[in-house]
Amino acid sequence: MSASLASECNEVKERYDSCFLKWYSEKFLRGTATSDECDPLFKQYEKCISKALKERGIDSMLKEAREDNRENDAEHMRPKR
Amino acid sequence: MVKFYSSSDTYTYPFTAVTLAYFLRYPNPYSTHVLSTDTIARHYDPTTQRLTTIRLHLKRSKLPSAVLKLIPRSLIGASAGGDTQAYILEKSVVDVKEGWMDTESRNLEWTGVLSVVERQVFRRPGCTYGDDIRQTEDEDEGLWKGMEGAARRHGFIAQSSENTAADKITNNGETTEVASSVTLHSHIGEKWKKRSAASSTAPTEEKVGFFKSLGTASLQRSIEIIGLKRARRSQPNAKEGMKVVLERMREGGLVGVLEGMRRDREMILGGHAHAFKKGNTSGEEE
């Protein structure tokens, strides 16, 4: 698995990634997913990584980029029908 | 917005396998400059059955000396040798029912100078997703149309589509189309102008002054040319990386991919970073 930006998040990231890969290949790709079963694990991972991003000052940069992205999505990624 | 690079290609693997490989593409032997990958947001919509993912990659890169000559190192946070780290934000949407995956990656830093937006659309043959987007987005839509015509003539775009589970990766002739484009948005001074207009806080006069002194138009052109060269050079490595992951998947399934990743990660940590790089000494993107 790929490493996390923050080494303290590696463990929880690995747990989430494993769950996701299983869900993605066994349910999502087969079209049988009804919900994102790994969400509870993601929440734990998110908590760790959010803190790390904040500490590194990346959170504000991200927020800005995602806002730009949203504008861009509205323009270019609208559903075709 | 200027588009500098576009191409279309075909993977000889089923669409579902390609989408999985996309999520698992780092680390691979061609991506030893990718230091980390984190999922920062993920949303599954049960109604549309689409999965949206936002990831953050940290890449080590070496800035071309040409860029270092043009822009003060302090502005881009590079060392004397031009070593720097760059955050890349990647967004992807997968629709397995319709058979497409739309991905976009952009650099997060020095966006005031140049944003490199890389877009890749993976499609199951026969899926028409992205056709309209290309036409409205591209300035040179003729290029896309021409390529698609060629793809059709060569039989890459078939009319049938079959859904295959990801663990069954056999080479039964299933293919996945990929259309890539790199768009460069260079806006020197633009963002600072926007910012100073929006708020009363003083813009970073020093930076604006620097760019003004150089003559924005020519500087912008120079930077665009450098950005284009880098983007073009990074494409083969990105594709080779995906292929390695897909081959591992075919041979050993998910376990095979994860085992390969573990070895690659050890190699990266062990400092044999460029062992596999093919004549690419400057630590390119992807």
Side-chain angles (χ1 to χ4, degrees):
Chain A
M1 224 73 87
S2 53
S4 173
L5 171 67
S7 55
E8 68 270 22
C9 303
N10 269 333
E11 206 182 307
V12 64
K13 170 181 152 59
E14 189 125 355
R15 258 185 286 151
Y16 168 69
D17 279 351
S18 307
C19 178
F20 171 75
L21 288 175
K22 195 168 152 57
W23 174 81
Y24 188 78
S25 52
E26 291 176 10
K27 303 217 168 142
F28 178 81
L29 287 181
R30 295 179 189 186
T32 60
T34 49
S35 65
D36 181 356
E37 292 161 17
C38 306
D39 199 52
L41 279 175
F42 182 73
K43 293 261 161 50
Q44 288 178 32
Y45 170 37
E46 192 181 31
K47 215 166 116 190
C48 186
I49 196 72
S50 308
K51 194 166 159 266
L53 294 177
K54 211 170 196 158
E55 279 165 8
R56 288 163 175 78
I58 308 162
D59 55 330
S60 54
M61 194 162 71
L62 266 177
K63 213 174 141 222
E64 203 173 287
R66 287 176 68 177
E67 269 156 23
D68 273 2
N69 232 359
R70 249 189 287 283
E71 285 169 30
N72 211 36
D73 287 354
E75 233 176 278
H76 299 301
M77 286 175 97
R78 37 166 194 254
K80 62 185 156 117
R81 53 195 120 92
Chain B
M1 173 170 108
V2 188
K3 195 180 76 200
F4 270 113
Y5 178 94
S6 62
S7 72
S8 61
D9 214 326
T10 305
Y11 283 109
T12 54
Y13 292 87
F15 170 74
T16 49
V18 173
T19 68
L20 186 57
Y22 184 84
F23 285 128
L24 290 170
R25 73 192 194 284
Y26 300 136
N28 70 64
Y30 295 91
S31 75
T32 50
H33 62 298
V34 180
L35 303 171
S36 70
T37 296
D38 282 285
T39 303
I40 55 170
R42 188 161 257 151
H43 177 69
Y44 172 65
D45 184 339
T47 322
T48 59
Q49 289 186 28
R50 284 179 190 169
L51 181 72
T52 306
T53 304
I54 297 175
R55 298 198 297 178
L56 182 71
H57 307 287
L58 179 61
K59 298 182 179 186
R60 184 182 46 220
S61 67
K62 200 170 170 65
L63 288 167
S65 55
V67 167
L68 291 170
K69 271 181 214 141
L70 292 169
I71 306 170
R73 281 202 310 273
S74 59
L75 198 62
I76 34 188
S79 73
D83 291 308
T84 185
Q85 292 188 334
Y87 287 102
I88 311 289
L89 191 66
E90 169 207 283
K91 185 188 173 183
S92 64
V93 182
V94 192
D95 188 319
V96 75
K97 225 169 29 180
E98 293 182 3
W100 55 262
M101 180 181 205
D102 196 341
T103 72
E104 191 188 271
S105 297
R106 56 176 68 217
N107 58 312
L108 269 189
E109 285 141 313
W110 51 305
T111 49
V113 181
L114 177 73
S115 310
V116 181
V117 180
E118 243 183 291
R119 182 145 181 236
Q120 277 187 299
V121 178
F122 301 93
R123 302 191 298 185
R124 190 183 285 146
C127 169
T128 55
Y129 175 86
D131 287 352
D132 58 330
I133 291 170
R134 288 174 192 169
Q135 279 164 25
T136 51
E137 183 183 310
D138 296 350
E139 287 167 9
D140 50 352
E141 59 179 275
L143 189 62
W144 280 115
K145 276 189 179 155
M147 282 187 198
E148 225 173 297
R152 241 178 255 284
R153 279 195 302 280
H154 294 300
F156 290 144
I157 304 177
Q159 292 309 315
S160 69
S161 71
E162 278 304 316
N163 204 340
T164 316
D167 57 344
K168 263 203 288 162
I169 296 161
T170 45
N171 214 355
N172 58 1
E174 271 189 77
T175 60
T176 303
E177 295 164 22
V178 54
S180 318
S181 72
V182 176
T183 319
L184 305 182
H185 309 237
S186 71
H187 21 222
I188 292 162
E190 222 173 71
K191 205 162 195 173
W192 297 316
K193 261 184 252 157
K194 204 167 102 187
R195 274 198 193 136
S196 59
S199 72
S200 55
T201 42
T204 37
E205 288 297 344
E206 205 185 313
K207 294 173 182 177
V208 176
F210 166 76
F211 286 122
K212 262 189 194 148
S213 71
L214 249 150
T216 305
S218 74
L219 179 62
Q220 187 160 320
R221 247 192 324 275
S222 309
I223 289 171
E224 278 176 358
I225 290 165
I226 294 159
L228 165 67
K229 279 188 187 156
R230 281 167 76 82
R232 209 186 275 276
R233 259 204 322 257
S234 74
Q235 296 289 320
N237 270 340
K239 205 187 165 199
E240 288 307 312
M242 277 288 280
K243 274 194 194 155
V244 168
V245 175
L246 282 161
E247 268 158 36
R248 283 172 179 171
M249 205 183 285
R250 178 152 64 196
E251 275 160 32
L254 251 177
V255 178
V257 177
L258 296 178
E259 178 55 26
M261 275 183 160
R262 199 187 51 75
R263 286 196 310 268
D264 293 339
R265 199 166 148 185
E266 271 171 13
M267 193 183 73
I268 294 165
L269 292 172
H272 305 290
H274 296 281
F276 280 82
K277 286 239 155 155
K278 266 189 186 167
N280 187 347
T281 52
S282 52
E284 291 309 323
E285 318 301 314
E286 286 298 305

